[in-house]
Structures are given as structure tokens and as C-alpha cells.
Amino acid sequence: MKLPKELIEKFREPYISELENYINSKVETIVKVKSKRLLETKNGQKYLLLTFEDKTGILRAIDWFNAEKNDAKINVGNVVRTQGKVVIYDGRIQLNILEDSNIIVLNEDEYNIERFVSESKMSSESAKTKISYFIDTIKNDTLKKLLIEIFKNDENLSEAFMSAPAGLRVHHNYVGGLAEHSITVASICENVSKIYTWLDRDLLITGALLHDIGKIYDYEISSHGIELTQKGELIGHIVSGFDIVKEKLNKINASSELSEKLLHMILSHHGELEWGSPVLPKTPEAYVLHMIENMDSKLNRMHNIKERELEINPEKIWSDFDPSLGRRILLKHDERG
Amino acid sequence: MKLPKELIEKFREPYISELENYINSKVETIVKVKSKRLLETKNGQKYLLLTFEDKTGILRAIDWFNAEKNDAKINVGNVVRTQGKVVIYDGRIQLNILEDSNIIVLNEDEYNIERFVSESKMSSESAKTKISYFIDTIKNDTLKKLLIEIFKNDENLSEAFMSAPAGLRVHHNYVGGLAEHSITVASICENVSKIYTWLDRDLLITGALLHDIGKIYDYEISSHGIELTQKGELIGHIVSGFDIVKEKLNKINASSELSEKLLHMILSHHGELEWGSPVLPKTPEAYVLHMIENMDSKLNRMHNIKERELEINPEKIWSDFDPSLGRRILLKHDERG
Amino acid sequence: MKLPKELIEKFREPYISELENYINSKVETIVKVKSKRLLETKNGQKYLLLTFEDKTGILRAIDWFNAEKNDAKINVGNVVRTQGKVVIYDGRIQLNILEDSNIIVLNEDEYNIERFVSESKMSSESAKTKISYFIDTIKNDTLKKLLIEIFKNDENLSEAFMSAPAGLRVHHNYVGGLAEHSITVASICENVSKIYTWLDRDLLITGALLHDIGKIYDYEISSHGIELTQKGELIGHIVSGFDIVKEKLNKINASSELSEKLLHMILSHHGELEWGSPVLPKTPEAYVLHMIENMDSKLNRMHNIKERELEINPEKIWSDFDPSLGRRILLKHDERG
Amino acid sequence: MKLPKELIEKFREPYISELENYINSKVETIVKVKSKRLLETKNGQKYLLLTFEDKTGILRAIDWFNAEKNDAKINVGNVVRTQGKVVIYDGRIQLNILEDSNIIVLNEDEYNIERFVSESKMSSESAKTKISYFIDTIKNDTLKKLLIEIFKNDENLSEAFMSAPAGLRVHHNYVGGLAEHSITVASICENVSKIYTWLDRDLLITGALLHDIGKIYDYEISSHGIELTQKGELIGHIVSGFDIVKEKLNKINASSELSEKLLHMILSHHGELEWGSPVLPKTPEAYVLHMIENMDSKLNRMHNIKERELEINPEKIWSDFDPSLGRRILLKHDERG
Amino acid sequence: MKLPKELIEKFREPYISELENYINSKVETIVKVKSKRLLETKNGQKYLLLTFEDKTGILRAIDWFNAEKNDAKINVGNVVRTQGKVVIYDGRIQLNILEDSNIIVLNEDEYNIERFVSESKMSSESAKTKISYFIDTIKNDTLKKLLIEIFKNDENLSEAFMSAPAGLRVHHNYVGGLAEHSITVASICENVSKIYTWLDRDLLITGALLHDIGKIYDYEISSHGIELTQKGELIGHIVSGFDIVKEKLNKINASSELSEKLLHMILSHHGELEWGSPVLPKTPEAYVLHMIENMDSKLNRMHNIKERELEINPEKIWSDFDPSLGRRILLKHDERG
Amino acid sequence: MKLPKELIEKFREPYISELENYINSKVETIVKVKSKRLLETKNGQKYLLLTFEDKTGILRAIDWFNAEKNDAKINVGNVVRTQGKVVIYDGRIQLNILEDSNIIVLNEDEYNIERFVSESKMSSESAKTKISYFIDTIKNDTLKKLLIEIFKNDENLSEAFMSAPAGLRVHHNYVGGLAEHSITVASICENVSKIYTWLDRDLLITGALLHDIGKIYDYEISSHGIELTQKGELIGHIVSGFDIVKEKLNKINASSELSEKLLHMILSHHGELEWGSPVLPKTPEAYVLHMIENMDSKLNRMHNIKERELEINPEKIWSDFDPSLGRRILLKHDERG
């Protein structure tokens, strides 16, 4: 018997972000071990300092009672079930593991992987509304038809688009990331087309919405998180995206002229050959798409770093060195305080 | 005696863009020779096909009468005075050199260099209005004070900013180019800050307006066009801009914290060390500024190529190979026709 | 009325390579001017030293009679009709322009462009035979079916494949170049698969034959020679090839597993992202294909340089610097001498 | 007293590849510890999972009896003597450590380093036969003389050539690797010279056999495996190879013309300056040698990865990321199954 | 009460380099743990092998009595207080930890950070003398005035210059490193100017002394060692140096001509854009400064590697691979023995 | 009959640098045409403005009488014999071609190529004295013996060393350039070894003197100037130098230890693989040699640019863009005026 989704949701253990509703209460929860450190107080008492995580955030926990035993039992990366009391310490929420609590390491079939795969903050409904808005504003008949074909008429494709992540590790690496990224890029492109009025707005927005659509074949969500597929390794999202959109353009009998311009935007959106585009952007619309989508990826990365590091230590000024950006980021960049 | 500017303007020879007011009339004008070609009709008549230019455009001219003599007399790059009849040929304006007209090569002191230095299409007044708008919207006191100090209180600096070009050859290489570029970048940054609300809008816009201010020391306008100064070679606009803004920040007693963030944006706006920035962008605002100003430079370049090549040949589909962009550009990129 | 091809062929002017049949006779021929130089003998007589070319070779010519007149009339690149006496001079064939001969510059519609577009030395028949041989040796049913579909059942595609060049300038830049290149690569790959028996021979040979098939859309032959098409600029032969082969694989219901391996070979055959492949070779077969096709391209280039430069000067030891190879080539490389 | 080699060989402990002859028997063997992991069954029993290796392969072993004690005693990289029962488990051979067995860590002087240095699968005899074949086919007297001088007359040199590895880590990193690599490259070059008949076959094959001969001075086999010598660091195999061959060319009074062509092939075989060749390949033979030897190195690397990873896990589809190749390799690349 | 510096110095625990005065005596000292290894003798006795360090050197220590207890207590990087007997073992000084000695881990406020921050071997006095010498030899009035202004009149600046390090990790990463580096570079530049007499000696020496002055703002000494400041991250020492010297040049009313030449040397001293200079060296003096300061940095690095590695193992021939130099260094480079 | 060298020298035409002894006199001279320009005065008189050159300098010349005739007769690059009156004009020496003078273009056998090949300003005697000085100061017996063997005992080698150029175009591209470059590098290395006393002075100086010795085989002087030899193309001076010095080291039975260190310096002196060294510098002496010889090459280049451009126009402030340096050079770099 498969329980209805709502029922499962109702009785599930609280997420980390929900613990603020349980302050000074005892809870049972399922979390992943992010770090652990066996420490000793001045007077020689051992305690275990833990960081837990799920897709909603990070949680500090302390075990004062079975520090050594639990240190031996669990490893970083384990998913565990535990009980504790939710308290406020040092201005942040903390879980004090109970004396009689057992920290149990769970197998993959003993928890729901969804607890640990993040989701975009942009809801699927909100994403659909925004895409509909863009479709409504397109004046070019062929491009409008194409977007309707993809986002309205082909439910499988549309569903895949709404739930796919847009990355493995570096940016938008969560469920719904592809839609969020595509829509943000389209929004900025819309603004840009108002300032450079000689650009073809409809082409630009259509390209922005579709540039990464091939990513629906690049990733799959397993118990290890998001993983690259065989198709992702051998073909890659740029050519898969070309393939998806080409088929739809054929279906609606788009002119070869228009088709080539749009497909060119998909193929060239990485901007440089060494970044994996088989052709350089040779239209202004392709060039703008490349620049804006690159900027959105990097800003998403920076924002994630900022959120994650300040959550752990709100006083931190500089991020750790980030290999994908090749630098440290100033976390206190904002003069508004 | 120096004539009043208005008087000079009134009696000057018409610019190329003004010839449409003289169709089928004879005019005398001063132009630069862009190309020349001695040709022969089927029946053996020699004629000289010329392209003239001034800062307002390009003009086709034909000499049917003194082809060989004038071919020998003038070189590409010469500024000449000539008379001709303005006609419409093949849908475009053309100058037919008169039989008794003499094409006279002029020395540098015999014409006004202003005829050949292009100006931004954004008027100085319009630029000032837009800068005032941005100043009005800044909420951070220090940054507002800084912009007022630079654009309102320091007339020399403000004047220099309004008239400077933003490049030698590649982009915004005309009088007023610096202001046009800075304002366009600030406009897009304003839009971007609406989408990524966690960015510091005031810092971003202030950085956008000031990032290239050091260019006022980089270029000088001579009879050879725009030239790089000794200061431009030895110090460069990035560090000159740092120097100008640092002095103003000192004057208004800005905090070192805020000063460093703003100066960092100026220093890092080229985005990569190999493009001449001594530091990488390490704040999200510095990163956005780099991306947007890079995009504006390239779009300005593409737009200039498009305008120039289509003016010469409205049927052209692909531009010539452009070394600064490293590719050809599709001139017919626009599906709106 | 369109004359039968055979008739046209019969009455056409002799090609340069055919002039050895006319020694000490007068001929009329149509050639392109490759270089010209107005010189003077010790005793002050002017003469015009010309190099002519057509697709079959290069020809030295001298005009002793109308040197200055003809120097003024013709430009390098012109196609001209002329008469002369074929002589042997300095061990090579030379054309002495006749005193009463007129060198006439021809318009594009006054000669047959075929005279100036080179053809592969591998005949179309020979190419077809070799492809049939490869198809016969393929044991994998799907791959055999695919090759039959492309080379036997789809006549348009097969014809296009047989006549396309494989390059603009650098290598195999002549009619039939694509087939010649593909077959040579397949031949070496066949040998390589005998030495590394753990490689999948059928995949390797199929990939070798199809890797550049997208080039049928990259080039068109005009009166200016071979030119890049709009599709070549915007999509490029790598992705066009993917598209052609993907469609055929779909048609014969190939498994996605096999399809991805073969398509991966097409996509990755340039070997590095910066050389335009959107993915790196990740199978040994893809890697071998990349290496062998790269070697064939470079050897073809070297061989062309050797033939061309030794034809002009059989004593030359080193080639001129070749920008595409980034070096000079030792023309006298062969010890068999 | 030094025992005769045959006697030592007869009484030595079996190699891993020989264990298939001992199934269900007890054996004593000497192996290197590749990995170890202390695990626990559901019911709480500790056991030690080990991977052993010698030059013939990899072996899974389990210690059910002294797991914790032996875990504390041995480290990864140790060479150990142990006893166990050879069993088949999960389709693969496994060693079950006996209860009363002692795992003893050996010092460097307590085992024969030869057990852990791999050897080429091409036997020394087979290599000599193949080299003789190539020498017989050379028609150029000087080159034939040179090869005889090196491979027949100079026994020390010839012996060193037969036993040297061709690499430290990346490719052909085993005894006999140099001969195997050189012969494979010569074999492919022979094939290539049949297709491009304008190449000088004798030069090509001689260069192929000798290109890496300097590696006899680059490596020495110590108890730590293959190590780079001081000469390898300071001079390098490219220049050492030049030196060896130059001396032999002087001895046989080869012409400077021929000598320079052959030495050029040795110097340029890395193909690019940044890969350590002091000159670029400037003859077609030098270019072919570079391409083929590069291909053989990479294929040897891929084949080793494939064999090693499939031996550990025959179901694996993708290799781990390989830093020297800069990618993952598809292990299931072969459609023949 | 703050003790006078001399008193503190008198009663402090001996540095490692001073232990040679205590052979066969017991001492108490404060050191940092560089490495530790728990070992066992043949007969099963556990002992703890330690390497200690302070700014004066490295010390081997052995604990025969409380090996396991102390192994558990201390971590690499801890600063500890311990007692032991100083002995000579294997030709080197060694500390034998006493049976009744307690190894105590100290907090940051329990020891003087100065014990662990290295200092240049060039004393502050010696550095000042050398700078005075250079100032005396300068003939150009403005440059002499500038150096006096910086090194004589501005005590804060001069003090900061004398104590600053010139690096974090790679070279001159110790107190006084900036002065030592600047003076060494100036000394070689002085020699170079004697050989190339057409160089401007005064400019060259002044640039050499001031090129890295901005580093006084780049680093701060904390209990974690030398750390990069926020100003170092956002502005960097190249532009900070420009700023310091520009202000002094303004103060003494230096001509813009001379100022630009000197400031250009500071800005361009990294030699290439990708190494962080915003302009390339465009004067011969700027170019020489870049080359010499680069050489001094690398030689300092090599010398440190040599000293450090030979101190640990005087028989070592090759250094470990050094990532900043990208190679191993031959430690036994000197033929003088 | 071959005339004695002194006699030839006595009766030869004056060099350009000697014309200052002929002011207001008529001379006959032999020069190369560097540039020519047919101009017209205000009143329509044609004149020919010429720049001549020989190895001693550059000369302005004007032909007022046969401007058009001579313009047609001579080409840039021709060597000509002409007569003129030496005058001072505009502060510089100028040759006014005489009315009855004939400008005669000479064949290669009609002039002495020595007139156009520059020589080092360091005389051969002075070079020998300096090398003897260095040999005297070497304390290491083997290195001293080696230098004596090369510079004293082997006259052919020594002569070749003294007369060879050290470059084709970029630096020290004149007779004696190799000796001048080697000695200058040795001089600076000597100074450097005084400052870094831990360097091996003898190794450093020997390496400095011998690092480029292979260049004696790289270049030959023909009527076209300095040309690269076949050996230079195929082997290159780095490996040729290794070969020369290796042979001499063998002859004097140098230890392999010392030989490898010295040969390593020759092989690694280009400093980076991509600059043609097959190994990176791995000893401090090799590293210093690379840095100093690189600096000397670039300074020689800059000095030549400065001298050449100021000779043409003493008011010039910036050099033209120099492709080998990748920048313009400030000609007025010297504050001493």
C-alpha cells in the first residue's frame, strides 16, 4: 500500500527549518551528519559537537551523555535518526541530544531521499505563471507556437523542465533549479531588451527560456544526490537541448532561417569554445544570452556561499576560498547593513 | 578675432547627414577620403569612385570629369574640400563632382577637426539629466555626497567626464562615449538590482557611474583622432580612476570600509587579471559591474559594426571578420525585419 | 539549349596539366592570374612575368610584347583568356604570350567555374567502392544498417557526401575531399583496430566514415571558390553531423546505448573543447578517431604544401612559413630521394 | 651463496594470478596491502576487508578472526606474508585469512621486489623477434646499420632497452614497457606508411623504434617501485635519446643530412614545446611519429584503467576521474559485448 | 604592569637555536608541534617521535615514557610547554622528554606569538644603514627628497616598512622580509646599472626600494601567523604602494613626468597583466625592476626550501615537489661541497 | 688576385657614420634603400625623399633632379651606388643627390655584404680579454679545464664563437653578438653570485659563458643577411650547445655529476618548456642563468629600438609598437636628460 503524499507529509519528522516551532520541546528528527568533533571541557568532560543538515538548513547539536560511544558509531555523511531537546543557544537554534536517546544510522531504504535534495525557493506554480507571462508577451508567431508546444502541449517535457536541477554542484543544484535559472535569465534579458531596443526581444526571451533545456537529460536524482547521466557525459546538455528544440521546430514547420538563429543561441550560450560551446555567439542576442546566463550562474553561486557560510557563522566576513570561483567572497558586501 | 561658436556653426559647410536637404543642388563640403577606386566603363571611359566620410556618416561620390588627375592628387585619409551636385542614385544619396570643381587637399589648420570626431547620440544635457536621476535615487549618504562632489561640485571633472570618449577604437570611441557608457551600465545595473534584491543597489549604481572615470586622463583628441596619452600608457584608466575617487572619498571623510568596497569595484571591473584588473572582483556588486560593463562594450561594438556595414551595403548578411570580437557578426539577426 | 556534358568537355580549352601535349604549338586557354611582375632586362627591355593557375596546376608565362599594357590591364585573381606558344624552358613548361595575342579579362559568366575548383584525386567511383568494402566488413547489424541507409538508400545524402569538400582553405579543400578524408581515416582506423584488438572495430570504422558528414551543409561552391554557409557559421558541421546521423539512427530504431556511443564519436572528434568539440572523447574509439582524423588533416595539408611549392621551385628545401601549421616544413624530407 | 634463478622461481610463493590453481586449498603468499576497511556485520561481528596486490593482479581477502588486531598492525602500502584459504566468492577468487594465521609485515630485505614490479605482456623474446623483423625490412643502408649497431652489436644498450619501463605512472610503467611501446608505435607507423606512400618508411620506422631510447637513463627500479633518476630530472629522455643515437650515427659515419632528420624525430616527438620537445616536428615523418606515439601512450593508459577497474568491479560502467587524461572513461565502450 | 622588553627577553625560555648551549642539561621550553608519530620498538615498546619548531629552527624530540598519553593529548599545530634533556643523537641535537615531564598545551594568551614569527636575518639596524647608503648615492634631487620623506621624515611609515613581511607563504614571509627584499633588489639593480650605463640608476634604485611598499597594508601578524588583510584582498599592495608614493610625490611637488615614471615602476613590477600588474613595464628601468625582484623572490624561496629540507635530512638530494615553483629543486646543487 | 684586407678597407666607399667627415663635399657611397617617397612641393615640383642604411646607421637623402625616374628604378631593399653632396639639414646629416648622378642598383656580386651586416660594439679583442679574465677566476679545476679546452685549445670553436650572432632579428643580431651576450650575462651573474653567496659562482659563470654556444650552428650570413640553418631548424641551439659541451666534458673526463649540472643549465636556460627548454631549471644556478640571460636579451632589444628610433627622430617620445616585446617603449625614459 502506497500512502497518499499528503498523509506522508503530515506525519513526517520536522525539517530543520521547522524546529523553531518546537523550542524547549523534545523532537525526533532525521538528518545527515555534516561534521562531528569530540571535545573536552576544562574539567575533562567529553562532549560531541555535531553539525546536522537537511535540505532546509544546518543545525548545531551537542551530545553531553554518550559522546564517545556516538562518536565511534557515526560517520560524516551518515543519515541518522535521533531525539533531542530544541534550545536557543548563542542566538541560534541547537539540538541537545537526550541522555537516553539513541543515534541510529539509517540505510538508504529507511528514509526518504527527498529530505536531502534541496528545492528551489521559486515554487513550481510561480514558475509556471512566469513562463505563461513570457509566452503571452511574445509577438513572433513561430516563437510563441514553439513555447506553447514545449511548455503547454508536451506535458512530459514541461514536467521534466519544472523539476530538473540546473547543476551538480556549482549553481542551481536543486530540484526546480533549471526553471528558476531560465526564468531569471529571461527576466533580465527582458530588461536588457528595453535598453538596447535594436535587439530582437522575442528571440532573446525564447532563447533565455530554452537555452538549458537539455539539462533535463543530464542529471538524475539518486540516494547519493544529483548525478550526471550517461547521456550527460556522452552528449551533454548543449547538444541535447539543440536536439529537443530542433524536433519541436520541425514539428511546427518553423523556417530554417529562424530555426538556425534560435538553435545557434542554444549552441553558443557557453560563450567560448573552451567552455563547451561548439560555436561562438555570432548574433547580438546569442551574445547577450551568454553574458546574462553566465552572470546568473555566478550570482547564484555567490548567494549560496553567502547564505551557507553566514548560517554557520553570522560574524564571518570572508568566505572560504571557493575553487569554482577561484577566489574568496566578501560576505559583508552590503553597506545597508 | 575668435568668432562666436554659433556664428561658426551657422556658416559652416553642411555635414554629410545634412545633404538630404540639398538634393539636386550644388554644395561645397569638407570631407575625409575613406576609399577611392579608378574604374572604367565598358566603353572605356575612366571615372573615379570615392567614399567620403565625416562624423555624421558616409557618402558615395563620383568624378566623371577629372578622374585620373584627381586620383593622382588625393590619398585615402586626406581631408578635402570639393563641390558637387547632390543626387539620389540607387536609393542612396550621392555626390557628383562637378566638371569645373577642384578637389583641394587641406592642411590640418585649414579645417575644423570637430567635423571628423564623432559624438555620442546621447546629448550632454540628456546625460546630465540621467546622472541627476541616479543621484536622487541613492539613499546611502556617503555615496550620494560623493556623486554630488564629483558631478555637481567639481565642474572641471564633470566637464571632462561629459566630453571624454570611452575608447580608442573598439567601443564608445567618440566624444561623450564615457558618459553614455557609464549611464547605460548604471541603467542595467539598476534593473539587475531589482531582480537580485540582496545586492546593494547604491554601491552598484555608484560603481557603475564611476568605474571608467579614469578614462578622462587616457585620451586626447588631436588632428589624428583620439590618441592614448602618456598617462594612459604608464598609469592606465583603472588606477587613475582609483586615484580620482580616492581623493574625493578622503575629502568627504568616507569610512575606509565603504571606500575600499567602492574602490575595489573600480580596480576589479575588468574582471580578470589578464584583462588588466590588479584584483579579481570579490564582492557580488563588483562582479555584476564587470559583467554588465563588459556586455555594454561588446554590444556597442556590435551595433557600430552593424550600422557601419549596412550603411555601405544594406544587403550584407554577415559582417567582415572583426579582430576585436574574433568572429563575424550576423547583421540580419533580427526576425522583426 | 544546354549542350551535353561530353560535348562541352570535348571542345573546352586545355587545362594546364594538358599543355604537355601541345609543346611548341600555339594554344588558347583560360586561366587565373596567380602573380605578375613587370621586369626589365639588362638592356632595358620590359617584360611581364606571369604565373597562371587552374585546378590542375600552375603555369609560368611571359609576355615580351605588350608587357606594360597587359600589366595595367590585369590584376591578380582575374580569370583571363589568352593565346601563347607552349615551350620548355629551364626544364619546365612555359607559355610565351604571342605578340598579337590579347589578354582578355573574363566576367563570371564567361567561363566555367569548374576549371578552378580542384577535385580529389580519388575518383567518385573509387570512393564508392571503398565505402562498399567497409560496409561489407561491418558485423554489427545496426551499424551496417545505418551505413546502408546513409550511403545506399539515401541518394541525395550520398551524392552530397561524394562531392563535398572537407575544408575551406586548410585541408581537403576540393570537390570530393570529404569522401577522400573519411575513407583514408577509416582505412587507418581499420589498421589500428588490428593492433589494439580490444577496440570495437565496427564502431570505429562507422565513426570514421561519418564523423565529418555534417560538412555537406558547411560549404557551397560559388564563383569565389568554396565558401562557408550560414548554417556552417551558426550550427557548424559537428552538430549538423550529429543531427543527420541521429535522424537515421531513429529511423532504424537503434538502441539509445549504441546511438549515444556513435553520436559521441561525432561530437568529440575535434578532441578538445577549444577546438570546437562540445564534449571530450570518453571512449577509446572516440579517442582514436580524433587522433587519426587530426593526423590525416595535417598530412593532407603538408602534402599539399609540398606539391605546390616544389611545382613552383623543385630545388626548394624548406617551405614558406605556414600559419595553419605554425611552422616551416622540410620539403626534402625523404631520404629515398 | 646466490641461488640459481630457476630454483628461486620454483620455490617462491604463488602469485595472485596463480591462485586459481589452489582453489579450496590453503596457501602462503606475499602481497602488498592496497586497501583495508574494518567493518561490522548486522549482528555486530567485526571483520577486516582487505585488497591485496602484486604485479599479476588484485585479490580480495577477508579476516574474520583477528580483524581489529590486524587492522592495527598493517598499513596500506605494507608488504605482508600471510596464509589463507583460496575460495570462490561472488564469482571471484578470494582469500580467507586463517584463524591461526599471522599477518607479518615484511622489511625491504625480506621479500623480492620483483613480485611487485609489473612486466609487459610482450615477452622479451617476442620483442626481439619483432625488432629483427623491422631491421630486415629497412632498405636504407645507413639506417639498417644504425639499428644493427644498437640492437645487435651493443648488448648493454640492447639489454637496457628490453627491460626499461616507458613511464613512472601514466603509461607503460612496467618492465619491458619501453620495448612494447616502441614496437607498437613502429607497427602502426608501418601501416601508416602504406597509406601515405609519399612518407619515407625507413626513416619513420627507425624513428619509431628509437624515439624513447633515452628512457633507459630516466628510471631505476627500487623497493619503492619505478623512480626518476637524477639524469632523468636534469637531462630528460628526449636529450638522452638524442645523445645515444648521435653517438651511434657518428660511429657509422652517417651523413649529417640523414642524421639531422632522424635526430629531429627524437627531439620533436612530444609534438609541442610545452610538452617538452625543444623543436616542433617539421618533417611529415616526425609529425606522424608524434601523433602515433601519443595515441599509443593514451590507449595504453585507457586500457590499464579499464583492466584495473573492471577487475575490482566487473559491473562498473564509468571509470573514476583520471587526472592524467582529464576525464572519466566509459569502461563499457564495446558493442560486441 | 608591563615588564621592560629587556627583562622579558632575559627570563624567557631558550629558543631551539640556543639549545646547543644546554647539552646534557635539562631545559624547559615552549615550542610548536610540527609532526608526531607513535612508533614501536622491535621489542614492542611504544615511543612518541616528535618534531618541534619555533622561529629559530626545528628540533627532534622523543618521549619514551608517556608516549600514548601524550599522543592523545597533543595535535599538530599546538603550542606546548615541556621539559626535557638536551642530547646529541646521530650528530644532531635532540630533546628527550623527561619521565615526570608534563606536555602542556597552551592557549594563545599563555605564550608570546613572537616566538613563532620568523624574522629576517638582516637586522633592522643593518637595513637602515643600507637604505641610508642608497639615499646618499642618489643624485636626482626629487628622488632623494622622496626617499628622505619616506624613510627619514615619516617615522610611522618607516617603522612599518622595517617590520613588514613581504609574503604570506611563498617568499620573505617573516618580520623584516619587506626591507630585506627591497634592499637586496636595490643592490642587484645598482650592479645592473653599472653594466647597462644607459639606464637611469637613480630611478632604478628608488623604484627598487619602493616597489613593494604597499605590502605594509597587506599583512597583519596574528596568533595564526601572517594573514592577509581586507585591504590586501580588495585593493592589493600594488595599488596601495601607488597610493602611498603618489601622496608623497604630491607633497614634495614632484613633476608629473617623473612621478609617472616612478609610479609606473610600482604598478608594472609584476611584469605581466596575469600576474596582477595593471600595466606592462614600458621603460627599461621598470623592466629591470620586474626581472630582478622576480629573481630575488624565487631565490629566496629556493634558499628557504634548501635550508628547511637539509635541516631535517642533511643527506637529502632532491627537495619535495614545490607547488609554488612547480618543480623539485636539486638541494645538492653546489660543486664546492 | 685577392687584395689584402687593409687595402680594400682603405679604398672602400665611406660608411654612413663616416659622412660627418665629408660635410659640404661630394661623395660616392653604397647603401641599402630603407624607404622612398615621391613628394611634391607647394609649387608642384616633384622630389624623392629617401632613407638609406648600412650597418653603421641611417641616412636621409633627397633627389631634386630625377625624382620620378629614380622612383621608378629603385625598390626598397635594393643596394645602390650613388653620388651626392653631404649637407647638414635640420640638425642632421643629409645627402643631396646630384643632378648628374646616376643611382645604380647593384647585384649581389657587385658589393661587399659586410657593409650591411652589423657588428657588435664590443671588439673581438676586448671579448677575448674578458673571457680570459673569467677563466682566471674559476677555482673549480674541471670547469677551468673545460673553458680552456673550448676557448683556448679549440681554435675553430673559439673563432666561431667570437664571430657568431646571437639572433636573427630580435636581439644581438649582429656579428659578435654571441660573445657580447655571453660575456654580459657572465658579468651580471658574477655580481649576483656576490650577493647570494650560497650560489656556486664557478658553475654559474661557466654556464653563462656557454649557454648559447650552440648558436654557432644556428645562423649563417648570406647576402640576405643572417639566416637560420637547416641544423638550426631541425636541432636548435639548445641541443647543439648540449652536444658541443658534452663532447668536451667527455674529453676532459669530467664527473657525470658535474657534467649533468652544467649541461642542465644549457638545456634549461629558456626557463619554460613553451619557450623551448626540454627541462625546467631545477638548480638555483640554472634559474639565475635563465633570468639574467632573458633580461639581457630584452634590454638589448630595447636599447636597439631606442637607438634606431631616436636616430631617425630625436624628438620621438614613444617607440612604435614592437611585436616581439608586445608593447611600445618609452624612449625618453631617462630623467638625467
Side-chain angles (χ1 to χ4, degrees), chain A residues 233-234 243 246 264 282, chain C residues 233-234 243 246 264 282:
Chain A
E233 282 274 18
L234 293 179
D243 199 28
K246 175 100 200 279
H264 173 71
K282 293 173 186 171
Chain C
E233 283 275 17
L234 293 179
D243 200 28
K246 176 100 198 280
H264 173 70
K282 293 173 185 171

Side-chain angles (χ1 to χ4, degrees), chain E residues 25-215:
Chain E
S25 308
K26 293 180 187 176
V27 298
E28 175 164 299
T29 187
I30 292 176
V31 288
K32 192 177 274 187
V33 181
K34 192 180 165 66
S35 73
K36 60 166 193 170
R37 221 166 133 205
L38 188 63
L39 296 166
E40 209 178 310
T41 61
K42 288 258 169 187
N43 52 19
Q45 196 196 340
K46 294 270 174 56
Y47 63 98
L48 187 64
L49 181 65
L50 293 150
T51 319
F52 290 147
E53 64 176 343
D54 65 16
K55 71 179 179 189
T56 71
I58 284 169
L59 175 68
R60 186 163 63 175
I62 291 197
D63 184 342
W64 288 105
F65 302 105
N66 303 292
E68 279 175 297
K69 196 188 93 188
N70 281 331
D71 182 45
K73 187 192 280 180
I74 64 182
N75 288 315
V76 167
N78 285 163
V79 169
V80 299
R81 170 183 295 275
T82 190
Q83 299 87 32
K85 188 174 171 190
V86 181
V87 300
I88 298 285
Y89 182 80
D90 227 6
R92 281 187 298 154
I93 284 178
Q94 174 176 304
L95 188 75
N96 290 344
I97 310 288
L98 301 180
E99 182 164 9
D100 55 355
S101 161
N102 213 351
I103 301 185
I104 301 164
V105 178
L106 302 181
N107 288 330
E108 287 183 15
D109 52 1
E110 293 173 316
Y111 62 91
N112 187 343
I113 178 68
E114 302 262 313
R115 289 188 76 90
F116 303 105
V117 179
S118 306
E119 276 165 37
S120 170
K121 286 171 187 159
M122 183 188 283
S123 72
S124 188
E125 285 66 41
S126 159
K128 279 176 187 163
T129 307
K130 282 176 186 167
I131 288 173
S132 293
Y133 157 76
F134 284 122
I135 294 177
D136 289 349
T137 67
I138 299 287
K139 292 181 185 144
N140 179 297
D141 283 348
T142 312
L143 295 174
K144 187 175 221 132
K145 225 162 151 184
L146 176 74
L147 291 174
I148 289 170
E149 191 58 36
I150 288 172
F151 289 111
K152 306 283 182 184
N153 299 351
D154 186 336
E155 246 177 75
N156 288 339
L157 185 53
S158 171
E159 272 311 299
F161 185 87
M162 288 304 161
S163 64
L168 266 190
R169 260 175 304 267
V170 179
H171 74 97
H172 297 92
N173 48 342
Y174 40 72
V175 166
L178 174 59
E180 179 191 332
H181 173 56
S182 307
I183 288 165
T184 309
V185 172
S187 300
I188 302 179
C189 283
E190 190 185 27
N191 280 318
V192 167
S193 74
K194 285 177 190 156
I195 286 171
Y196 306 100
T197 53
W198 54 282
L199 295 176
D200 186 325
R201 179 196 178 279
D202 288 358
L203 252 180
L204 187 53
I205 287 174
T206 307
L209 290 174
L210 299 179
H211 76 282
D212 262 352
I213 197 169
K215 285 192 172 168

Side-chain angles (χ1 to χ4, degrees), chain B residues 15 29-30 38 96 105-106 126 137 171 181 201 211 265 275 283 306 318:
Chain B
Y15 282 130
T29 187
I30 293 176
L38 188 63
N96 290 343
V105 178
L106 303 181
S126 160
T137 66
H171 74 97
H181 173 55
R201 179 195 177 280
H211 76 281
M265 294 175 77
W275 298 339
T283 64
K306 180 182 170 181
W318 284 92

Side-chain angles (χ1 to χ4, degrees), chain C residues 185-199 204 288 292 295, chain D residues 188 191-192 292 295 299:
Chain C
V185 172
S187 301
I188 302 179
C189 283
E190 189 184 29
N191 280 318
V192 166
S193 73
K194 285 177 190 157
I195 286 173
Y196 306 100
T197 53
W198 55 282
L199 294 176
L204 187 53
V288 169
I292 297 303
M295 185 176 78
Chain D
I188 302 179
N191 281 318
V192 166
I292 297 303
M295 185 176 78
L299 281 180

Side-chain angles (χ1 to χ4, degrees), chain A residues 256-301:
Chain A
S256 73
E257 191 83 355
L258 173 58
S259 297
E260 284 169 12
K261 281 178 196 168
L262 183 64
L263 293 168
H264 173 71
M265 293 175 77
I266 294 175
L267 292 176
S268 69
H269 82 263
H270 277 197
E272 301 284 345
L273 301 190
E274 58 264 45
W275 299 338
S277 269
V279 281
L280 293 177
K282 293 173 186 171
T283 65
E285 289 79 15
Y287 182 75
V288 168
L289 173 56
H290 155 57
M291 292 300 280
I292 296 303
E293 92 88 40
N294 191 6
M295 184 176 80
D296 184 54
S297 312
K298 296 296 194 330
L299 281 180
N300 184 270
R301 175 78 184 161

